[in-house]
Amino acid sequence: MSDDADLVFHALSSADRRRILDIVRGRPGIQIGELASNFDCTRIAIHKHVRVLEAADLVISERQGRVRKLYFNLVPIQTIYERWTDDYSGDWAAGLTRFARGIEEQTRHVRKRKSGL
């Protein structure tokens, strides 16, 4: 997982690549030429960014003859999300449960004192 996660984090570290992902997600099947028209850089630079995104499995390309269509793949991001939220969600939930129990216990003690007065 760590090698895959490293590739994903590296791919997401670039603002241009994040923008590419946003465009590809919003326009499934977009071609490199169309994608490049959204940037002030060469088509070759966009192609290099797309290769990094493909290596991280964030973009899937489908060739149809000379046409190359790009699609966003959520799975690597979802995998990282689940990994981090599962670990931290459990800790937070346990902490909140302890906190809630402590509050309930204090409330019971206060009620007992008030009823004994």
Side-chain angles (χ1 to χ4, degrees), residues 46-105:
I46 296 301
H47 186 70
K48 287 180 181 181
H49 282 306
V50 168
R51 283 198 310 240
V52 171
L53 293 167
E54 286 175 324
D57 206 25
L58 291 166
V59 167
I60 297 170
S61 65
E62 177 183 275
R63 287 198 176 270
Q64 295 177 345
R66 291 181 49 97
V67 175
R68 186 173 172 199
K69 296 182 176 185
L70 304 173
Y71 299 92
F72 176 67
N73 182 19
L74 175 66
V75 173
I77 295 172
Q78 185 68 35
T79 301
I80 290 171
Y81 171 81
E82 289 172 358
R83 173 185 170 195
W84 286 85
T85 58
D86 285 351
D87 290 346
Y88 290 104
S89 294
D91 292 342
W92 276 98
L96 287 173
T97 300
R98 284 191 302 274
F99 177 74
R101 286 184 183 149
I103 296 293
E104 289 170 0
E105 189 174 318

Coordinates of all heavy atoms in Angstrom, one line a residue, residues 46-105:
I46 N 1.4 18.5 -20.5 CA 0.1 17.9 -20.0 C 0.2 16.4 -20.1 O -0.2 15.7 -19.2 CB -1.1 18.5 -20.8 CG1 -1.3 20.0 -20.6 CG2 -2.4 17.7 -20.4 CD1 -1.4 20.4 -19.1
H47 N 0.8 15.9 -21.2 CA 1.0 14.5 -21.4 C 1.8 13.9 -20.3 O 1.5 12.8 -19.8 CB 1.6 14.2 -22.8 CG 1.6 12.7 -23.1 ND1 0.5 11.9 -23.3 CD2 2.7 11.9 -23.2 CE1 0.9 10.7 -23.6 NE2 2.2 10.6 -23.5
K48 N 2.9 14.6 -19.9 CA 3.8 14.1 -18.8 C 3.0 14.1 -17.5 O 3.1 13.1 -16.7 CB 5.0 15.1 -18.7 CG 6.0 14.9 -19.8 CD 7.2 15.8 -19.6 CE 8.2 15.6 -20.7 NZ 9.3 16.5 -20.5
H49 N 2.2 15.1 -17.2 CA 1.3 15.1 -16.0 C 0.4 13.9 -16.0 O 0.2 13.3 -15.0 CB 0.5 16.4 -15.9 CG 1.3 17.6 -15.4 ND1 2.0 17.6 -14.2 CD2 1.5 18.8 -16.0 CE1 2.6 18.8 -14.1 NE2 2.3 19.5 -15.1
V50 N -0.2 13.7 -17.2 CA -1.2 12.6 -17.3 C -0.5 11.2 -17.1 O -1.0 10.4 -16.4 CB -1.9 12.6 -18.7 CG1 -2.7 11.3 -18.9 CG2 -2.8 13.8 -18.8
R51 N 0.7 11.1 -17.5 CA 1.5 9.9 -17.2 C 1.7 9.7 -15.7 O 1.6 8.5 -15.2 CB 2.8 9.9 -18.0 CG 2.7 9.5 -19.5 CD 4.0 9.1 -20.1 NE 5.1 10.0 -19.8 CZ 5.7 10.7 -20.7 NH1 5.4 10.6 -22.0 NH2 6.7 11.5 -20.4
V52 N 2.0 10.7 -15.0 CA 2.2 10.6 -13.6 C 0.8 10.2 -12.9 O 0.8 9.3 -12.0 CB 2.7 12.0 -13.0 CG1 2.6 11.9 -11.4 CG2 4.1 12.3 -13.5
L53 N -0.3 10.8 -13.4 CA -1.6 10.4 -12.9 C -1.9 9.0 -13.2 O -2.6 8.3 -12.4 CB -2.6 11.4 -13.4 CG -2.5 12.8 -12.9 CD1 -3.4 13.8 -13.7 CD2 -2.9 12.9 -11.4
E54 N -1.5 8.5 -14.4 CA -1.8 7.1 -14.8 C -0.9 6.2 -13.9 O -1.4 5.1 -13.5 CB -1.4 6.9 -16.3 CG -2.4 7.5 -17.2 CD -2.0 7.4 -18.7 OE1 -0.8 7.5 -19.0 OE2 -2.9 7.1 -19.5
A55 N 0.3 6.5 -13.6 CA 1.2 5.7 -12.8 C 0.6 5.5 -11.4 O 0.7 4.5 -10.8 CB 2.6 6.3 -12.7
A56 N -0.1 6.6 -10.9 CA -0.8 6.5 -9.6 C -2.2 5.9 -9.7 O -2.9 5.7 -8.7 CB -0.9 7.9 -9.0
D57 N -2.6 5.5 -10.9 CA -3.9 4.9 -11.2 C -5.0 5.9 -11.0 O -6.2 5.4 -10.7 CB -4.0 3.6 -10.4 CG -5.0 2.6 -11.1 OD1 -5.2 2.7 -12.3 OD2 -5.6 1.8 -10.4
L58 N -4.8 7.2 -11.0 CA -5.8 8.2 -10.8 C -6.5 8.5 -12.1 O -7.7 9.0 -12.1 CB -5.2 9.4 -10.2 CG -4.7 9.3 -8.7 CD1 -3.9 10.5 -8.4 CD2 -5.9 9.1 -7.8
V59 N -5.8 8.2 -13.2 CA -6.4 8.4 -14.5 C -6.3 7.1 -15.3 O -5.2 6.5 -15.3 CB -5.8 9.6 -15.3 CG1 -6.1 9.6 -16.7 CG2 -6.1 10.9 -14.6
I60 N -7.3 6.8 -15.9 CA -7.3 5.6 -16.8 C -7.5 6.1 -18.2 O -8.4 6.9 -18.5 CB -8.4 4.6 -16.5 CG1 -8.2 4.1 -15.0 CG2 -8.5 3.5 -17.5 CD1 -9.4 3.3 -14.5
S61 N -6.6 5.7 -19.1 CA -6.8 6.1 -20.5 C -7.2 4.9 -21.4 O -6.8 3.8 -21.2 CB -5.5 6.7 -21.1 OG -4.5 5.7 -21.1
E62 N -8.0 5.3 -22.3 CA -8.6 4.3 -23.2 C -8.3 4.7 -24.6 O -8.6 5.8 -25.1 CB -10.1 4.2 -23.0 CG -10.8 3.2 -23.9 CD -12.3 3.3 -23.6 OE1 -12.8 2.6 -22.7 OE2 -13.0 4.1 -24.4
R63 N -7.6 3.8 -25.3 CA -7.2 4.2 -26.7 C -8.3 3.6 -27.7 O -8.7 2.5 -27.6 CB -5.9 3.6 -27.1 CG -4.7 4.3 -26.5 CD -3.4 4.0 -27.2 NE -2.3 4.7 -26.7 CZ -2.0 5.9 -27.1 NH1 -2.6 6.4 -28.1 NH2 -0.9 6.5 -26.6
Q64 N -8.7 4.5 -28.6 CA -9.6 4.1 -29.7 C -8.9 4.6 -31.0 O -9.2 5.7 -31.4 CB -11.0 4.7 -29.5 CG -11.7 4.2 -28.3 CD -13.0 4.8 -28.1 OE1 -13.3 5.8 -28.7 NE2 -13.8 4.2 -27.2
G65 N -8.1 3.8 -31.6 CA -7.3 4.2 -32.7 C -6.3 5.2 -32.3 O -5.5 5.0 -31.4
R66 N -6.3 6.4 -32.9 CA -5.4 7.5 -32.5 C -6.0 8.4 -31.4 O -5.3 9.2 -30.9 CB -5.1 8.4 -33.8 CG -4.3 7.7 -34.8 CD -4.1 8.6 -36.0 NE -3.6 9.9 -35.7 CZ -2.3 10.2 -35.7 NH1 -1.4 9.3 -36.0 NH2 -1.9 11.4 -35.4
V67 N -7.2 8.1 -31.0 CA -7.8 8.9 -30.0 C -7.6 8.3 -28.6 O -7.7 7.0 -28.5 CB -9.4 9.0 -30.3 CG1 -10.0 9.7 -29.1 CG2 -9.6 9.7 -31.6
R68 N -7.2 9.1 -27.7 CA -7.0 8.6 -26.3 C -7.9 9.3 -25.4 O -7.8 10.6 -25.2 CB -5.5 8.9 -26.0 CG -5.1 8.4 -24.7 CD -3.6 8.6 -24.5 NE -3.2 8.2 -23.2 CZ -2.1 8.6 -22.6 NH1 -1.3 9.4 -23.3 NH2 -1.8 8.3 -21.4
K69 N -8.8 8.6 -24.8 CA -9.8 9.2 -23.9 C -9.4 9.0 -22.4 O -8.9 7.9 -22.1 CB -11.2 8.6 -24.1 CG -11.7 8.9 -25.5 CD -13.1 8.3 -25.6 CE -13.7 8.8 -27.0 NZ -15.0 8.3 -27.2
L70 N -9.6 10.0 -21.6 CA -9.2 9.9 -20.2 C -10.4 9.8 -19.2 O -11.4 10.5 -19.4 CB -8.3 11.2 -19.9 CG -7.1 11.4 -20.8 CD1 -6.5 12.7 -20.4 CD2 -6.1 10.3 -20.6
Y71 N -10.2 9.0 -18.2 CA -11.3 8.9 -17.2 C -10.6 8.9 -15.8 O -9.5 8.4 -15.6 CB -12.0 7.5 -17.4 CG -12.6 7.4 -18.7 CD1 -11.9 6.8 -19.8 CD2 -13.9 7.8 -18.9 CE1 -12.5 6.7 -21.0 CE2 -14.5 7.8 -20.2 CZ -13.8 7.2 -21.2 OH -14.4 7.1 -22.5
F72 N -11.4 9.5 -14.9 CA -10.9 9.7 -13.5 C -11.2 8.3 -12.8 O -12.3 7.7 -12.9 CB -11.7 10.8 -12.8 CG -11.5 11.0 -11.4 CD1 -10.2 11.4 -10.9 CD2 -12.5 10.7 -10.4 CE1 -10.0 11.6 -9.6 CE2 -12.2 10.9 -9.1 CZ -11.0 11.3 -8.7
N73 N -10.3 7.9 -12.0 CA -10.4 6.7 -11.2 C -10.3 7.1 -9.7 O -9.3 7.4 -9.2 CB -9.3 5.7 -11.5 CG -9.5 4.4 -10.7 OD1 -10.5 4.1 -10.2 ND2 -8.4 3.6 -10.7
L74 N -11.4 7.0 -9.0 CA -11.5 7.4 -7.6 C -10.9 6.3 -6.6 O -10.5 6.7 -5.5 CB -13.0 7.6 -7.2 CG -13.3 7.9 -5.8 CD1 -12.8 9.2 -5.4 CD2 -14.8 7.8 -5.6
V75 N -10.7 5.1 -7.1 CA -10.3 4.0 -6.2 C -9.1 4.3 -5.3 O -9.1 4.1 -4.1 CB -10.2 2.7 -6.9 CG1 -9.6 1.6 -6.0 CG2 -11.5 2.3 -7.5
P76 N -8.0 4.8 -5.9 CA -6.8 5.1 -5.1 C -7.0 6.1 -4.0 O -6.6 6.0 -2.9 CB -5.7 5.6 -6.1 CG -6.2 5.1 -7.4 CD -7.7 5.1 -7.3
I77 N -7.8 7.2 -4.3 CA -8.1 8.2 -3.3 C -9.0 7.6 -2.2 O -8.8 7.8 -1.0 CB -8.7 9.4 -3.9 CG1 -7.7 10.1 -4.8 CG2 -9.2 10.4 -2.9 CD1 -8.2 11.2 -5.7
Q78 N -10.0 6.8 -2.6 CA -10.9 6.2 -1.7 C -10.2 5.2 -0.8 O -10.5 5.2 0.4 CB -12.0 5.4 -2.5 CG -13.1 4.8 -1.6 CD -13.9 5.9 -0.9 OE1 -14.2 6.9 -1.5 NE2 -14.4 5.6 0.3
T79 N -9.2 4.5 -1.3 CA -8.4 3.6 -0.5 C -7.6 4.3 0.6 O -7.6 3.9 1.7 CB -7.4 2.8 -1.4 OG1 -8.2 2.1 -2.4 CG2 -6.6 1.8 -0.6
I80 N -7.0 5.4 0.2 CA -6.3 6.2 1.2 C -7.3 6.8 2.2 O -7.0 6.8 3.4 CB -5.5 7.3 0.5 CG1 -4.3 6.7 -0.3 CG2 -5.0 8.4 1.5 CD1 -3.6 7.6 -1.2
Y81 N -8.4 7.3 1.7 CA -9.4 7.9 2.6 C -9.8 6.9 3.7 O -9.9 7.1 4.9 CB -10.6 8.4 1.8 CG -11.8 8.8 2.7 CD1 -11.8 10.1 3.3 CD2 -12.8 7.9 2.9 CE1 -12.9 10.4 4.0 CE2 -13.9 8.3 3.7 CZ -13.9 9.6 4.2 OH -15.0 9.9 5.0
E82 N -10.1 5.7 3.2 CA -10.6 4.6 4.1 C -9.5 4.2 5.1 O -9.8 4.0 6.3 CB -11.1 3.4 3.4 CG -12.4 3.7 2.7 CD -12.8 2.6 1.7 OE1 -12.1 1.6 1.6 OE2 -13.9 2.7 1.1
R83 N -8.3 4.2 4.6 CA -7.2 3.8 5.5 C -7.0 4.8 6.6 O -6.9 4.5 7.8 CB -5.9 3.8 4.7 CG -4.7 3.6 5.6 CD -3.4 3.6 4.7 NE -2.3 3.7 5.6 CZ -1.1 4.0 5.2 NH1 -0.9 4.4 3.9 NH2 -0.1 4.1 6.0
W84 N -7.1 6.1 6.3 CA -6.9 7.1 7.3 C -8.1 7.3 8.2 O -8.0 7.5 9.4 CB -6.5 8.4 6.7 CG -5.1 8.4 6.2 CD1 -4.6 7.9 5.0 CD2 -3.9 8.8 6.9 NE1 -3.3 8.0 4.9 CE2 -2.8 8.6 6.1 CE3 -3.7 9.4 8.2 CZ2 -1.5 8.9 6.5 CZ3 -2.4 9.7 8.6 CH2 -1.3 9.4 7.7
T85 N -9.3 7.3 7.6 CA -10.5 7.5 8.4 C -10.8 6.3 9.3 O -11.3 6.5 10.4 CB -11.7 7.9 7.5 OG1 -11.9 6.9 6.6 CG2 -11.5 9.2 6.8
D86 N -10.5 5.1 8.8 CA -10.8 4.0 9.7 C -9.9 4.0 10.9 O -10.4 3.9 12.0 CB -10.5 2.7 8.9 CG -11.6 2.3 7.9 OD1 -12.6 3.0 7.9 OD2 -11.3 1.4 7.1
D87 N -8.6 4.3 10.8 CA -7.7 4.4 11.9 C -8.1 5.5 12.8 O -8.3 5.4 14.0 CB -6.3 4.6 11.5 CG -5.7 3.4 10.8 OD1 -6.3 2.3 10.9 OD2 -4.6 3.5 10.2
Y88 N -8.3 6.7 12.3 CA -8.6 7.9 13.1 C -10.1 7.9 13.6 O -10.3 8.5 14.6 CB -8.2 9.1 12.4 CG -6.7 9.2 12.3 CD1 -6.1 9.0 11.1 CD2 -5.9 9.5 13.4 CE1 -4.7 9.0 11.0 CE2 -4.6 9.6 13.3 CZ -3.9 9.3 12.1 OH -2.6 9.4 12.0
S89 N -11.0 7.4 12.8 CA -12.4 7.5 13.2 C -12.6 6.6 14.4 O -13.3 7.0 15.3 CB -13.3 6.9 12.0 OG -13.2 7.8 10.9
G90 N -11.9 5.5 14.4 CA -12.1 4.6 15.6 C -11.6 5.3 16.9 O -12.2 5.2 17.9
D91 N -10.4 6.0 16.8 CA -9.9 6.7 17.9 C -10.8 7.8 18.3 O -11.0 8.0 19.5 CB -8.5 7.3 17.6 CG -7.4 6.2 17.4 OD1 -7.7 5.0 17.9 OD2 -6.4 6.5 16.8
W92 N -11.3 8.6 17.4 CA -12.2 9.7 17.7 C -13.5 9.2 18.3 O -14.0 9.7 19.3 CB -12.5 10.5 16.5 CG -11.5 11.5 16.2 CD1 -10.4 11.4 15.3 CD2 -11.3 12.8 16.8 NE1 -9.7 12.6 15.3 CE2 -10.2 13.4 16.2 CE3 -12.1 13.5 17.8 CZ2 -9.8 14.7 16.6 CZ3 -11.6 14.8 18.1 CH2 -10.5 15.3 17.6
A93 N -14.0 8.1 17.8 CA -15.3 7.6 18.3 C -15.1 7.1 19.7 O -15.9 7.3 20.6 CB -15.8 6.4 17.4
A94 N -14.0 6.4 20.0 CA -13.7 5.9 21.3 C -13.5 7.1 22.3 O -14.1 7.1 23.4 CB -12.4 5.0 21.3
G95 N -12.8 8.1 21.9 CA -12.6 9.3 22.7 C -13.9 10.0 23.0 O -14.2 10.4 24.1
L96 N -14.8 10.2 22.0 CA -16.1 10.8 22.2 C -17.0 10.0 23.1 O -17.7 10.5 23.9 CB -16.8 11.0 20.8 CG -16.1 12.2 20.0 CD1 -16.8 12.2 18.6 CD2 -16.3 13.5 20.7
T97 N -16.9 8.7 23.0 CA -17.7 7.8 23.8 C -17.3 8.0 25.3 O -18.1 8.1 26.2 CB -17.6 6.3 23.4 OG1 -18.0 6.2 22.0 CG2 -18.4 5.4 24.3
R98 N -16.0 8.0 25.5 CA -15.4 8.2 26.9 C -15.9 9.5 27.4 O -16.3 9.7 28.6 CB -13.9 8.1 26.9 CG -13.4 6.6 26.8 CD -11.9 6.6 27.1 NE -11.1 7.4 26.2 CZ -10.6 7.0 25.0 NH1 -10.9 5.8 24.6 NH2 -9.9 7.8 24.3
F99 N -15.8 10.6 26.6 CA -16.2 11.9 27.0 C -17.7 11.9 27.4 O -18.0 12.5 28.4 CB -15.9 12.9 25.8 CG -16.3 14.3 26.1 CD1 -15.6 15.1 27.0 CD2 -17.4 14.8 25.5 CE1 -16.0 16.4 27.3 CE2 -17.8 16.1 25.7 CZ -17.1 16.9 26.6
A100 N -18.5 11.3 26.5 CA -19.9 11.3 26.8 C -20.3 10.6 28.0 O -21.1 11.0 28.8 CB -20.7 10.7 25.6
R101 N -19.6 9.5 28.3 CA -19.8 8.7 29.5 C -19.4 9.5 30.7 O -20.1 9.5 31.8 CB -19.1 7.4 29.5 CG -19.7 6.4 28.6 CD -19.0 5.0 28.6 NE -19.6 4.1 27.7 CZ -19.0 3.2 27.0 NH1 -17.7 3.0 27.3 NH2 -19.6 2.4 26.2
G102 N -18.3 10.2 30.6 CA -17.9 11.1 31.7 C -18.9 12.2 32.0 O -19.2 12.5 33.2
I103 N -19.4 12.8 31.0 CA -20.5 13.8 31.2 C -21.7 13.2 31.9 O -22.3 13.8 32.8 CB -20.8 14.5 29.9 CG1 -19.6 15.3 29.3 CG2 -22.0 15.4 30.0 CD1 -19.2 16.5 30.1
E104 N -22.1 12.1 31.4 CA -23.3 11.4 31.9 C -23.1 11.1 33.4 O -24.0 11.3 34.2 CB -23.6 10.1 31.1 CG -24.2 10.4 29.8 CD -24.3 9.1 28.9 OE1 -23.9 8.0 29.4 OE2 -24.7 9.3 27.7
E105 N -21.9 10.6 33.7 CA -21.6 10.3 35.1 C -21.6 11.5 36.0 O -22.2 11.5 37.1 CB -20.2 9.6 35.2 CG -19.9 9.0 36.6 CD -18.6 8.2 36.5 OE1 -18.4 7.4 35.6 OE2 -17.9 8.3 37.5

